[in-house]
Amino acid sequence: KLKEKVIKMQKPIVFNYSKLRGRIVENKYAGQVCRSGRLTDRSVSLKLNNGIGFSQDEIINWCELLNLKSCEIPAYFFDTKV
């Protein structure tokens, strides 16, 4: 007999980017974030609203622009909403 396996769909991980948004606003980098990665305002909005994810290159570029240390990456890019 074949046993049927039930595959449970995992809920998508939703990240909390409020700290990242705050850093962008406080340093007035909104326009520079778009230009640095050749992103449109729409792409940035989708990223900050969990519509599309960040690539590793984008995380590195944004950290350089926002003067974030590598040890700060989890707090800005991987803080999950509960």
Side-chain angles (χ1 to χ4, degrees):
K1 293 182 180 180
L2 293 174
K3 292 184 179 180
E4 290 185 30
K5 292 184 179 180
V6 177
I7 300 173
K8 293 183 180 180
M9 297 297 291
Q10 291 184 350
K11 292 181 183 178
I13 298 172
V14 178
F15 294 102
N16 176 6
Y17 293 118
S18 59
K19 191 169 183 175
L20 181 59
R21 282 186 183 155
R23 185 72 171 238
I24 291 167
V25 170
E26 78 182 15
N27 291 300
K28 301 176 185 171
Y29 283 131
Q32 290 181 16
V33 164
C34 293
R35 288 189 299 274
S36 72
R38 296 186 179 111
L39 299 171
T40 63
D41 288 340
R42 174 83 173 130
S43 294
V44 172
S45 176
L46 284 169
K47 288 179 184 302
L48 295 175
N49 289 299
N50 288 284
I52 56 176
F54 285 92
S55 71
Q56 292 176 341
D57 288 338
E58 288 169 336
I59 291 172
I60 291 168
N61 289 338
W62 285 38
C63 286
E64 289 173 358
L65 178 67
L66 299 171
N67 297 314
L68 298 174
K69 298 175 186 171
S70 60
C71 63
E72 296 176 296
I73 289 174
Y76 283 90
F77 292 93
F78 297 103
D79 181 32
T80 55
K81 287 186 178 180
V82 179

